[in-house]
Amino acid sequence: MPLEGALDRSADAAPPIARPLARGRSGRLLRACVTNPAFLVGLMILLTVVAVALLAPWLYPGDPQDMVAVPAMWPGEDWEHPLGTDSLGRDVAAGLAHGARVSLLVGLSAAAIGLTIGTVVGASAGYFGGVVDNALSRLTEVFQTVPTFLLVIVIVAIVQPAASTIALAIGVAAWPTVARLVRAQFRSLREADFVMAARSLGYSSPRIIAMEVLPNALPPVIVTTSVMVANAILTEAGLSFLAMGDPNLVSWGSMIGDGRSLLRTEWFLTALPGAAIALTVLSLNLVGDGLNDILNPRSGLA
Amino acid sequence: MTVLGRAGRTLRRTAWQALPTTIGIIVLCFFLLKMVPGDAADVIAAEAGSATAETMAALRARFGLDQPLLTQLLSYLDNLVHLRLGYSARFNMPVSDLILARLPNTLLLMLAAMIMALVVGILAGWVMAIFANRWPDRLLQVVVLIFYSTPGFWIGLMAIVLFSVKLGWLPANGNMTLGTDLTGFALLADRAQYLVLPSLALASFFIAVYARLTRASMLEVQRQDFMRTAAAKGLHPVTMQLHHALRNALIPVTTMAGLHLGNLLGGAVVIETVYGWPGMGRLALEAVTGRDFNVLLGVLLFSSLLVILANVAIDLLHAWLDPRIEVQ
Amino acid sequence: MMYPLLRVEDLTIGFPAATVVHEVSFEVFPGETMALVGESGCGKSITAFALMRLLPPGARILRGEVMFDGINLVTAAPRTLRDVRGRTLSLILQEPMTSLNPVLPIGMQIAEVMRRHEGIGKAAARRRSVELLELVGVTDAQRRYDDFPHHFSGGMRQRVMIAMAVACNPKLLIADEPTTALDVTIQAQVLDLLDSLRRQLGMAVLLITHDLGVVAQWADRVTVMYAGRVVEQAPVRPFFASPRHPYARGLLDASVGHDGEAHYTTRRLNEIPGSVASAAFEHGCPFAPRCPVRIDACRLSSPPLVALVPEHRVACIVTAGTEHVPAVG
């Protein structure tokens, strides 16, 4: 990728001409953590979910798809399986722990893919303008118009469901938001004095994009990241709820889908994984809102 | 300029802008169709049980599959212009008929959800802005954030448990009572009953989106100079909000509503499954299980066109709300 | 002696973090133009907004009285206040580009004031609005009634704002830097318009400005503010002939330059050495750090406003010769 190359090459070259970024950002970040309880709560929930995901193989060794007890046991009935068991006698707690891995993994990689595509498209469109901008904006509009979830379904149906393909499909469908954002940032930064200065010194376009514009365009993108991960988790949940997820993995969405047949009686089978999704996405949104307050203190609108 | 004249100009401009998007979507669908492993000849051969290389070649020639890609794309375009989306082997009927039969149900669901999302979202956002940073705002912010973070289909399932199973108030499956012969108001009431839960589940996320947006944009408007002008005129706070603030605050909300239409249609796929709602989304899912890609891509194409059409409507609304649009 | 139309007494305004306006007192008499002048940040705009109780969120009137037309606006009920606003007391803001509602036709925005205060019908309000538009110099007013703010230039928008402000024949018009955002050539036109309307309608104008040229040309009396306090108050002629406060003297020296009065117009007030003291300054005279004639006593307490001759008041213990008079609250 040209951007990365540019970054490597210029790492030991002259420092960027100006860095309007605030110096004390880490200081502000720390202070904001203390003064913004919602952000702190979100971060703590998120870290807990991450910890559970990382520790799942030790907390619940073995395949969470194995039958371990009597089917359809309510939470609290047997403290061996505190959150009960599903219609096939699988431990719900084990499923939730292992499901966290899938949700976070798919969410993170989908967001990474979406961010990469979106940043490259948006940066080129915003920086170069003219014909490039026109063509890329049209492309963005096409992907923005197509119903995201349907597109993901079509892609997954064509390439066969697996965690990797699902992440790819979600990423491919989700990039337009980032592209629009980055494009807008680049368009306004393109004419900034420090970019003009870099251009007048004869720096190459990839170098200016990567070293001068991108760092200053990043704050809103960082904020979007948490929202993208959250949306990717929601999309993955919907997909596996429809039994279009990775058939070899337990995910929160598939647990809801499985629990649905017992909805009228054992509704906790649906409620618990859904609550796990909601809690995780909530934490991501809290973190996103907090980051927004920290990084774009003057931004009024989402 | 008259309102009608402005509407006409907006319509023309929007239609002109929608054209490349439409073509782009068609090309995207075409390439997705090409990505599907196996082609129509394979499908027919598989259904026939066996086929020789010659019959396969003959079949491919008949479907034009031996032509260069560009020629195939052109004939695909030609088919679309004449509303020929292909034939569904699984449902044994033309894809366009299949989709058109499901379309009204999805439209109904979408419309109900959109109206619910806008009305509830804007009201909630407005209340939050009025009580900014006091307890009604904080409480609503928490509620809204929960709606914003919770999958709509799960809210739908939980609503079934509460309103259908426990309370028995609302039906949870289908879009009307089967085997009855209702007319007039009774029919309407019956349909409305079935519509409540699915549209609520579909709207939940968007209620949150619009509430957050309305709050932010209302607060932004309150800071504007023209609100101070309005107060300096001696207007009542309610008049100020209704007459001066709301319309300005709605402009970004309608822009967002346009961007979210696609997501709303996507969400309908899951919600239709949860509630056994016979719409396009569920058709798409049935197509996936039957590996009927003609139908699947037909739905994708049709929904995208629907989004474009709805965007035109939003643009009209936008032009009505914001007289400055004609300048841009 | 005429009774004042507006009497502001001891007005003190604070934000949670700091007090920004300290014990401001002044009067406006019927029919006159009083200029409230000072550098940006000196508290003059906040004072103007406080008169109408239109303070930005967070700001509060801590003390003082605003007697206008027999009503204390500081304690008036919201309903009473709404009946005053736009009818007997109206306001023009600095930024014509943002002070009109962008999504409503301008004619309607003018008609709204009259319908609110005079209870007249739609048609009558429209007729009167068109007349007002003509009065403020909008040509083709009948047709432009339905135009939106973005169809007008900055100067024209300010004319629309003026039409809106004078619609109900107010007794006092507060104009907060009405020409700062406009081109120099348009500034004089707008101020001339304001002045002729003042004569025609017999209203008083409280003109908030930082431009001494504007004060010299259009005001009858002047109140100079520095760091949230009134430092000098005088009729315009004696003020320009012999300003008493060292700050005012500095201002005039800085503006006059070498060519005398002719070049006031475009100069700003920030050309005195040093920088504006924060309005939150608590001890002593706020101008002391920049003052060429300061004495030790200046650091002790903030000087009271005392009359040197009737109508010419100054808050400076050195020029007033009141070093030994204890300061009052």
Side-chain angles (χ1 to χ4, degrees), chain B residues 258-273:
Chain B
L259 288 177
H260 281 302
L261 279 167
N263 294 342
L264 193 69
L265 250 175
V269 179
V270 200
I271 300 300
E272 285 179 4
T273 307

Side-chain angles (χ1 to χ4, degrees), chain B residues 206-251:
Chain B
F206 300 94
I207 289 175
V209 172
Y210 300 145
R212 281 164 67 104
L213 205 60
T214 308
R215 178 183 186 274
S217 117
M218 265 301 202
L219 287 178
E220 181 70 27
V221 171
Q222 311 297 339
R223 281 201 294 271
Q224 300 292 313
D225 282 348
F226 63 79
M227 290 303 285
R228 182 173 268 157
T229 305
K233 287 179 182 179
L235 299 182
H236 192 273
V238 174
T239 318
M240 281 173 60
Q241 294 302 321
L242 277 174
H243 202 194
H244 286 271
L246 189 60
R247 194 153 154 192
N248 279 287
L250 284 186
I251 292 167

Side-chain angles (χ1 to χ4, degrees), chain B residues 6 224-226 228-229 231-237 239 243-245 247-248 251 321-324 326-327, chain C residues 49 52 54 56 82 85-86 93 95 98-104 108-109 112-113 116-117 148 150 161 164:
Chain B
R6 225 166 58 218
Q224 300 292 313
D225 282 348
F226 63 79
R228 182 173 268 157
T229 305
K233 287 179 182 179
L235 299 182
H236 192 273
T239 318
H243 202 194
H244 286 271
R247 194 153 154 192
N248 279 287
I251 292 167
L321 280 174
D322 188 356
R324 287 163 297 185
E326 59 188 280
V327 187
Chain C
F49 292 142
M52 289 190 93
L54 289 173
R82 284 201 298 273
R85 288 176 181 165
L93 298 171
E95 222 4 289
T98 54
S99 48
L100 287 164
N101 192 328
V103 302
L104 299 175
M108 198 235 86
Q109 298 189 48
E112 193 177 24
V113 201
R116 159 72 181 85
H117 291 294
F148 291 94
H150 69 266
M161 280 299 292
M164 195 186 292

Side-chain angles (χ1 to χ4, degrees), chain B residues 72-124:
Chain B
Q72 289 189 43
L73 176 61
L74 286 177
S75 73
Y76 183 73
L77 270 171
D78 179 59
N79 280 334
L80 288 183
V81 169
H82 298 95
L83 257 182
R84 289 194 299 259
L85 293 177
Y87 194 81
S88 162
R90 184 179 153 79
F91 296 94
N92 208 17
M93 62 194 287
V95 172
S96 48
D97 292 0
L98 205 55
I99 291 176
L100 284 175
R102 301 287 190 101
L103 185 64
N105 281 330
T106 296
L107 276 181
L108 180 67
L109 182 61
M110 247 184 80
L111 210 65
M114 196 71 186
I115 291 172
M116 194 184 284
L118 283 173
V119 171
V120 180
I122 288 168
L123 274 178

Side-chain angles (χ1 to χ4, degrees), chain C residues 41 226-227 275-281 286-287 289-290:
Chain C
Y226 182 81
S275 64
V276 190
S278 151
F281 197 94
F287 189 61
R290 293 166 78 188

Side-chain angles (χ1 to χ4, degrees), chain B residues 31-53:
Chain B
F31 280 112
L32 283 171
L33 200 58
K34 285 286 125 188
M35 270 171 61
V36 173
D39 54 26
D42 290 318
V43 176
I44 292 177
E47 278 172 5
S50 67
T52 60

Side-chain angles (χ1 to χ4, degrees), chain C residues 3-14:
Chain C
Y3 285 106
L5 173 65
L6 173 78
R7 204 189 72 235
V8 179
E9 216 167 279
D10 272 346
L11 187 66
T12 301
I13 305 162

